[in-house]
């Protein structure tokens, strides 16, 4: 059997960091503070810290594994190598199915910001255009990501300035005072998913130069920047909006509208649209690379492993992901099916931590005990999710396991060539 064609190492540390940070500063940064505040109340900052700790545990596990296995696929590959084929399959299947639904939701969010009356056609157009960018090569993907990230960062700086300038509520307390400590973990679960974009760096392991050094640096740098941004925004929004933070659907936009910089509200809307596109671009890229890895191991149809073109891209996997996303946009209410991806992400990172725990050698930034903390953190956050999300993803994972078992049984009964 011939060796699969490899992708080309064209990304530096800065490009990989930008892709990870672009994923973490997606549309969620424009909306997540409101539901998190409704759950945690004036303990919102504690929820951000808890989410950041769990994310750090997962990030260092991913960094250590990516340095050892610098190939496409992320935790799908790590699980296979360190724990066995079935844990690897669970991680890969959960990531591909959950994040494909997330792609559709992110595209629809973009369409809703840009043209609410034509949200679905605009969402489909965004998927087509961004897939086209990916097919032009990973360097084009990185370039567009940097442009979109600059737009988002400029918007967040503007929001921060507006929140500092006030006016501030004189009598209201920050957050929803009735929420209390019981809501910290559920709020941390919401905030955690905003940090999860560093997985996209690991899935690009085959396309990063000097991966043993560059990938850990990119993952940790992207997470540190995202954590600082979310923490500062949480503090400023609580001080600026008070109780109203928990009730609004657009906290960053409201922060600007209730300041002396209200005329800049369109900038926030443009920034939210750019964040949607940046996150969608990174999602499509990451799902495509994991699909490629699973096809190489025959856990998905073999043709999805084809790599080609002058830009050396997994074009069949990219096109297949785009087709499925468009199908979801045309046939389902993607905002209702995307909830199950949260549980899938936590399964993915639990397997990453378990895989890192079994490494023979551990780098100084990723001691074994931290892998255990990360694993337990993922399990705890997973079971604070709504029951519907747990049940839906359990069904999806079970369907994947049953399908793989049937395929393996079929192959066993096939005559050997």
């Amino acid at each position: 059997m011939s060796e699969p064609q490899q992708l080309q190492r064209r990304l530096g540390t800065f490009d990989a960091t930008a892709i990870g940070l672009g994923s973490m500063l997606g549309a969620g940064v424009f909306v997540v503070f409101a539901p998190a505040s409704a759950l945690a109340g004036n303990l919102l900052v504690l929820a951000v810290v808890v989410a950041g700790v769990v994310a750090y545990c997962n990030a260092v596990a991913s960094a250590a594994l990516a340095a050892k296995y610098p190939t496409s696929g992320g935790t799908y590959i790590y699980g296979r190598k360190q724990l066995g084929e079935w844990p690897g399959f669970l991680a890969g299947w959960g990531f591909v199915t959950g994040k494909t639904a997330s792609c559709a939701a992110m595209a629809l969010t973009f369409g809703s910001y840009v043209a609410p009356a034509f949200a679905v056609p605009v969402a489909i157009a965004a998927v087509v255009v961004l897939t086209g960018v990916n097919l032009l090569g990973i360097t084009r993907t990185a370039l567009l990501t940097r442009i979109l990230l600059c737009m988002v960062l400029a918007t967040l700086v503007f929001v921060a300035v507006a929140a500092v300038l006030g006016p501030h509520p004189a009598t209201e307390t920050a957050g929803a005072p009735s929420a209390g400590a019981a809501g910290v973990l559920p709020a941390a679960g919401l905030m955690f998913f905003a940090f999860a974009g560093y997985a996209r760096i690991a899935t690009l392991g085959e396309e990063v130069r000097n991966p043993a050094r560059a990938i850990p640096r990119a993952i940790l740098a992207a997470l540190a920047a995202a954590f600082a941004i979310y923490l500062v925004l949480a503090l400023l929004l609580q001080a600026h909006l008070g109780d109203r933070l928990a009730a609004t659907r657009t906290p960053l936009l409201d922060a600007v509208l209730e300041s002396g910089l209200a005329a800049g509200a369109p900038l926030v809307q443009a920034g939210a649209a750019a964040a949607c596109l940046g996150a969608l671009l990174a999602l499509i890229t990451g799902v495509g690379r994991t699909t490629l890895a699973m096809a190489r191991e025959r856990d998905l149809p073999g043709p999805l492993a084809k790599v080609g073109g002058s830009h050396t891209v997994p074009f069949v996997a990219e096109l297949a992901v785009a087709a499925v996303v468009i199908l979801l946009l045309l046939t389902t209410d993607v905002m209702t099916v995307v909830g199950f991806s949260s549980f899938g992400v936590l399964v993915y990172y639990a397997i990453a931590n378990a895989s890192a725990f079994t490494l023979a050698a551990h780098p100084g930034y990723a001691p074994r005990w931290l892998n255990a903390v990360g694993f337990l953190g993922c399990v705890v956050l997973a079971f604070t999710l709504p029951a519907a999300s747990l049940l839906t993803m359990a069904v999806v994972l079970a369907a994947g396991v049953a399908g793989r078992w049937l395929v393996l049984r079929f192959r066993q009964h096939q005559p050997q060539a």
Side-chain angles (χ1 to χ4, degrees), residues 309-336:
S310 59
H311 302 290
T312 320
V313 294
F315 64 96
V316 178
E318 294 276 6
L319 292 172
V321 171
V324 173
V325 172
I326 291 171
L327 183 64
L328 287 175
L329 287 166
L330 291 173
T331 60
T332 65
D333 181 357
V334 296
M335 293 305 185
T336 61

Side-chain angles (χ1 to χ4, degrees), residues 236-256:
L236 291 177
L237 290 172
Q238 277 195 320
H240 183 51
L241 295 177
D243 291 346
R244 289 165 294 172
L245 177 58
T248 178
R249 296 182 61 183
T250 54
L252 272 63
L253 181 60
D254 285 3
V256 172

Side-chain angles (χ1 to χ4, degrees), residues 65-78:
L65 290 160
K68 182 174 176 61
Y69 302 109
T71 186
S72 293
T75 300
Y76 168 69
I77 294 297
Y78 313 151

Side-chain angles (χ1 to χ4, degrees), residues 36 53 64 68 89 97 100 139 141 148-149 169 182 194 218 227 229 241 251 274 302-303 330 355 379 382-383 387-388:
V53 169
K68 182 174 176 61
F89 174 80
T97 54
T100 298
T139 55
T141 301
L148 294 170
L149 180 59
F227 177 73
I229 290 168
L241 295 177
L330 291 173
S355 300
V379 172
F383 286 96

Side-chain angles (χ1 to χ4, degrees), residues 75 116 199 235 251 278 326 404 408-410 412:
T75 300
L235 288 166
I326 291 171
R404 185 175 191 267
L408 291 177
R409 289 292 301 269
F410 176 76
Q412 287 175 356

Side-chain angles (χ1 to χ4, degrees), residues 177-196:
S178 61
V184 170
L185 286 181
L190 285 177
M191 296 300 308
F192 169 77
F193 302 116
F195 290 122

